[in-house]
Amino acid sequence: MRKMISLILLTTFLLLSVGCSCSQQTVIGVVNESKDDEAAIKEVVEAFYQANKNFDWQKIEPKAGLEYWTAEAGERFLEEEANSWVEFVKTQKFSSKLKGLDFEEIMIEENEASVEVVSREEFTSEEDENLDGIFRGFGFLELHKNEQLWQIVDYDFHFVKIEA
């Protein structure tokens, strides 16, 4: 009987432990005891680049990566940049694969940050051979921290072809 009660208690404890660990999600960009501002900012920028820079022209999504933006800034980016970018990508039938991302500078002042990154991206195009090759992208991002969560509020970029 004691073995049965011990087994039940142990099983209950294990189920509760697994349930607790599964319900704890890691939120990207949140500053906490194990992640300082710089680490949280890098996490947001890397997640945005992974979501936004890896695409196939047939499946590109204009909202890719917007979950890392403030709501207002994300809507503005969607209207002013993302929709026309997707249209261009589909017209030129080109796909992109992020090959690398380097942080050149991160400047933090209280709840505001500016970030400069250099990406390495491989483009392939079915329409324009000038869009085939390795490109270096220069990204400039501004972020805002609200209640320990860093989010993107502005993004500008340009590309230079470095290899055919």
Side-chain angles (χ1 to χ4, degrees), residues 61-97:
E61 172 57 49
K63 293 183 179 183
L66 287 187
E67 62 268 30
Y68 308 112
W69 288 65
T70 62
E72 183 179 309
E75 282 301 314
R76 186 179 67 247
F77 180 72
L78 188 62
E79 290 172 13
E80 295 174 4
E81 301 286 339
N83 286 328
S84 60
W85 172 250
V86 168
E87 206 172 295
F88 174 76
V89 166
K90 288 183 177 182
T91 301
Q92 297 300 317
K93 297 182 181 177
F94 84 88
S95 301
S96 174
K97 198 171 276 266

Side-chain angles (χ1 to χ4, degrees), residues 28 43-44 47-48 51 65-70 143 150-153:
I28 292 176
E43 187 177 58
V44 167
F48 171 67
L66 287 187
E67 62 268 30
Y68 308 112
W69 288 65
T70 62
L143 293 90
W150 284 100
Q151 293 178 296
I152 301 168
V153 294

Side-chain angles (χ1 to χ4, degrees), residues 139-152:
F140 307 93
L141 300 96
E142 293 179 21
L143 293 90
H144 176 76
K145 182 171 71 172
N146 185 21
E147 297 184 16
Q148 301 302 92
L149 175 64
W150 284 100
Q151 293 178 296
I152 301 168

Side-chain angles (χ1 to χ4, degrees), residues 40-53:
I41 289 167
K42 283 182 174 182
E43 187 177 58
V44 167
V45 172
E46 287 171 349
F48 171 67
Y49 266 71
Q50 284 295 327
N52 189 265
K53 301 295 184 178

Side-chain angles (χ1 to χ4, degrees), residues 95-163:
S95 301
S96 174
K97 198 171 276 266
L98 182 65
K99 295 294 190 177
L101 183 65
D102 296 318
F103 287 84
E104 297 294 307
E105 183 174 41
I106 299 175
M107 293 178 48
I108 304 169
E109 284 189 34
E110 295 183 19
N111 292 328
E112 306 297 324
S114 60
V115 179
E116 292 182 21
V117 295
V118 177
S119 62
R120 186 174 165 90
E121 301 172 42
E122 181 178 5
F123 289 172
T124 55
S125 174
E126 294 179 22
E127 294 291 318
D128 186 348
E129 65 184 36
N130 292 321
L131 290 173
D132 279 336
I134 304 295
F135 287 74
R136 180 168 289 146
F138 300 90
F140 307 93
L141 300 96
E142 293 179 21
L143 293 90
H144 176 76
K145 182 171 71 172
N146 185 21
E147 297 184 16
Q148 301 302 92
L149 175 64
W150 284 100
Q151 293 178 296
I152 301 168
V153 294
D154 198 19
Y155 172 58
D156 190 24
F157 65 94
H158 66 275
F159 293 102
V160 175
K161 189 172 187 176
I162 59 174
E163 291 177 29

